[in-house]
Amino acid sequence: MSTSERPMPPLVADERTSLESWLDFYRATLAQKCAELPEERLREASAAPSSITLLGLVQHAAAVERTWFRQILVQEGVPPLFAPADEGSRHTGGFELAEDATYERAVAVWEEEVRRGRENCAGRGLDDTSPFMGGEVTLRWIYTHMIAEYARHCGHADLIRERIDGRTGV
C-alpha cells in the first residue's frame, strides 16, 4: 500500500463511490501507521496485555480481504492465508506472526488481495448477493463490514504506533 498520500473520501458522492473511498481511506491509514518503522518494531506488541502487532494487523487485513472479496463474494475456492492460531490463542486470521514473517511479504500479499478484491467487485452491483451463513449477503453489506473492520483495526494501530514511538495522528 502506498503511504505517500491518504485519499480523502469525497464529501459528495454516490453510495458506491463513498463506500469504496472510505475503504481505501482506511487501507491507506493502516499503511501509514506502519510507515517508516524498522521490521523489529513492526513485530512489537506494544500495548500489553495484547499480543497484536502492526505486522499482524497487515497480515489480518490481507486475510479479511481474501475472506470477504474472494471466498465469500465470488465463492472462490482459495484457502485461508494463515493457519488457525493455537487453540489457546486469543487471535486468529493472521494476527500471529511466523518467525519468517516479514512486512515486505505481508504488504505484497495484502496488495494482491486488495487488487483481486477490487477486480471481483468491479462488475457487481451493491445489491448483488452471495451465499453466506445459510442466507445471502450483499456487496453493500460486505463493503460496510470491511470499512468497520479496518476502522477498528486502525484504532488498534493508532495505539500500537503511539506506544512504539509516540507518533499520533495520520
Side-chain angles (χ1 to χ4, degrees):
M1 292 287 142
S2 170
T3 59
S4 59
E5 233 179 271
R6 183 172 60 170
M8 176 64 180
L11 300 176
V12 178
D14 62 87
E15 182 182 15
R16 184 176 192 124
T17 300
S18 293
L19 291 168
E20 290 175 348
S21 296
W22 276 106
L23 183 53
D24 284 341
F25 175 83
Y26 283 117
R27 286 169 173 152
T29 299
L30 181 57
Q32 285 185 339
K33 291 297 171 186
C34 299
E36 301 171 10
L37 282 175
E39 189 77 27
E40 67 272 5
R41 303 306 301 263
L42 292 164
R43 299 178 69 87
E44 187 176 314
S46 63
S50 176
S51 62
I52 294 176
T53 65
L54 290 171
L55 176 54
L57 287 171
V58 171
Q59 290 183 160
H60 180 68
V64 296
E65 293 273 354
R66 175 175 281 209
T67 298
W68 285 102
F69 293 126
R70 293 178 70 186
Q71 293 172 328
I72 295 170
L73 181 66
V74 298
Q75 301 291 296
E76 188 177 344
V78 293
L81 284 173
F82 304 97
D86 296 338
E87 229 173 279
S89 175
R90 296 184 328 189
H91 305 296
T92 60
F95 287 115
E96 303 290 331
L97 302 181
E99 284 189 35
D100 64 345
T102 67
Y103 182 68
E104 182 179 354
R105 195 170 352 171
V107 167
V109 170
W110 182 30
E111 288 175 341
E112 177 60 15
E113 292 302 326
V114 168
R115 185 190 69 73
R116 295 290 299 271
R118 285 183 176 134
E119 283 177 1
N120 290 342
C121 293
R124 292 179 156 38
L126 293 177
D127 291 323
D128 287 358
T129 61
S130 296
F132 181 64
M133 297 183 69
E136 299 285 316
V137 63
T138 64
L139 177 57
R140 175 183 291 103
W141 191 97
I142 292 171
Y143 274 143
T144 303
H145 173 75
M146 290 295 290
I147 291 165
E149 178 86 13
Y150 271 97
R152 180 174 64 245
H153 292 313
C154 284
H156 297 141
D158 282 338
L159 296 173
I160 294 167
R161 182 65 189 249
E162 185 175 5
R163 292 291 305 261
I164 288 173
D165 67 359
R167 182 173 167 197
T168 60
V170 179

